Amino acid sequence: MYDYIKTIIPEERILFHEPMSKHTTFRVGGEADCLIMIHEEQELAKLVRYLNQIEEAYFIVGNGSNLLVGDKGYRGVVLKLDGPMGEVETKGTVIRAGAGALLSKVAAQAKEHGLCGMEFAAGIPGSIGGAVVMNAGAYGGEMKQVVVSVRGLDKEGEILTLDNDTMEFGYRSSAIRNRPIIVLEVTLQLAAGDAEAIGMRMEELAAQRRSKQPLEYPSAGSTFKRPEGYFAGKLIMDAGLRGYRIGGAQVSEKHCGFVVNRGGATAADIREVIEEVQERVRDRFHVTLEPEIVFLGDF
């Protein structure tokens, strides 16, 4: 397998036994057997086609912001969208962003060009590829409000384009959430606005985040989806779990909807806290909390 991959990817971008703690915002996770830095769409297409043919497990990573990798690592290949796969281009009121582009970068470029509609995303710690898969949102904004189309790659390595309707955006979901389609590029339609006003709105939202969210600790952002008719953070607080801790993992004292790494947490610690929160909330309020986080590898 390695001999073939070397014909597609330069050796310096092929990493063996790579600690996934370097590639997730939780800053935990064991080693992936192999991590490959992907710079071009054609590289990705060839690798996906090949890995599917040989039935080798693989996983796509952007910023690793919604991901918990087990302490025993991942027995497979991690494909990390990097470099040119994170480029952002603006023409008029349209932005095209590679799937690996950070939402903060896309929002910053929108502001520079006096385009509004991405203010909500400036503080979300993820890549735009992952953001469209889960229809990321905050402060009344969601990706579905600005996405025109998504270019993706299927398991045969063929490129396809899905428009906004075909994406079937829902609350933290899309048509490709559970399908073997990899996001390559996202096209956004924004509106002309005033760069200064856009910047002020971003600062306002950033101040709200700093005051309400535990940004001082590694986390995966909001840990649970909002259950219909409730707020996850309030349910967790009312269950008496504010500050609940196992090892280095803790339910945030600032915002109970976040599980954070207070330092030295293991993936097992974090998972145990999540499971304990689910159990106690279910027992007390008969509400099932569904994690936003993807669990990967062996714990």
Side-chain angles (χ1 to χ4, degrees):
M1 183 178 75
Y2 178 55
D3 288 341
Y4 177 78
I5 290 174
K6 283 194 299 182
T7 67
I8 304 171
I9 307 291
E11 288 187 59
E12 63 269 20
R13 287 198 269 125
I14 306 171
L15 309 175
F16 291 101
H17 308 296
E18 178 69 2
M20 288 303 294
S21 56
K22 295 181 179 181
H23 304 279
T24 68
T25 57
F26 261 133
R27 298 290 178 257
V28 301
E31 295 179 349
D33 287 348
C34 180
L35 184 144
I36 302 172
M37 314 294 278
I38 305 295
H39 284 187
E40 299 175 11
E41 290 183 5
Q42 288 307 310
E43 293 176 349
L44 184 60
K46 289 177 182 177
L47 281 174
V48 165
R49 194 179 300 120
Y50 172 68
L51 292 172
N52 279 312
Q53 285 174 351
I54 66 170
E55 299 183 344
E56 176 69 26
Y58 63 90
F59 189 84
I60 309 295
V61 169
N63 194 44
S65 59
N66 234 37
L67 182 63
L68 181 62
V69 181
D71 300 307
K72 297 176 183 176
Y74 176 62
R75 305 283 73 80
V77 179
V78 173
L79 304 175
K80 181 164 184 175
L81 307 184
D82 192 52
M85 290 291 288
E87 291 180 352
V88 182
E89 177 187 55
T90 303
K91 288 185 178 179
T93 56
V94 174
I95 289 182
R96 286 187 174 84
L102 292 178
L103 285 170
S104 56
K105 179 180 178 179
V106 178
Q109 188 158 140
K111 182 187 76 170
E112 287 170 16
H113 288 81
L115 300 177
C116 55
M118 279 294 286
E119 293 89 333
F120 75 92
I124 299 175
S127 62
I128 198 164
V132 296
V133 171
M134 66 172 292
N135 188 26
Y139 299 106
E142 289 182 302
M143 293 305 299
K144 71 176 182 180
Q145 297 166 355
V146 293
V147 170
V148 174
S149 62
V150 176
R151 290 179 64 248
L153 189 76
D154 66 19
K155 63 181 182 179
E156 279 75 43
E158 299 298 323
I159 293 174
L160 63 160
T161 300
L162 301 93
D163 62 18
N164 188 291
D165 288 340
T166 309
M167 284 293 293
E168 298 176 7
F169 288 117
Y171 174 66
R172 300 297 176 264
S173 69
S174 71
I176 62 176
R177 178 79 195 253
N178 296 307
R179 292 174 61 192
I181 294 175
I182 301 165
V183 177
L184 299 173
E185 182 185 71
V186 181
T187 300
L188 309 174
Q189 176 65 64
L190 303 179
D194 178 71
E196 186 176 349
I198 293 166
M200 289 176 64
R201 176 59 175 161
M202 286 183 177
E203 279 300 317
E204 179 187 332
L205 295 180
Q208 288 188 46
R209 281 190 170 92
R210 286 192 296 271
S211 68
K212 296 178 180 179
Q213 298 180 8
L215 304 182
E216 64 273 26
Y217 297 113
S219 76
S222 181
T223 305
F224 301 98
K225 295 180 182 179
R226 185 181 68 244
E228 190 172 351
Y230 299 91
F231 292 99
K234 188 173 188 313
L235 288 170
I236 296 165
M237 180 177 67
D238 291 347
L241 289 163
R242 181 191 293 277
Y244 177 78
R245 185 167 180 168
I246 295 176
Q250 183 182 46
V251 173
S252 169
E253 296 171 302
K254 184 184 283 188
H255 189 314
C256 291
F258 288 67
V259 174
V260 299
N261 178 357
R262 286 292 302 264
T266 64
D269 291 340
I270 294 169
R271 187 163 190 168
E272 281 187 55
V273 169
I274 290 170
E275 290 173 349
E276 183 67 19
V277 166
Q278 288 176 300
E279 183 177 341
R280 289 209 202 173
V281 168
R282 185 169 53 247
D283 288 348
R284 180 159 180 183
F285 301 109
H286 308 291
V287 176
T288 299
L289 292 180
E290 183 181 351
E292 288 191 15
I293 296 165
V294 174
F295 299 91
L296 180 69
D298 301 319
F299 286 79

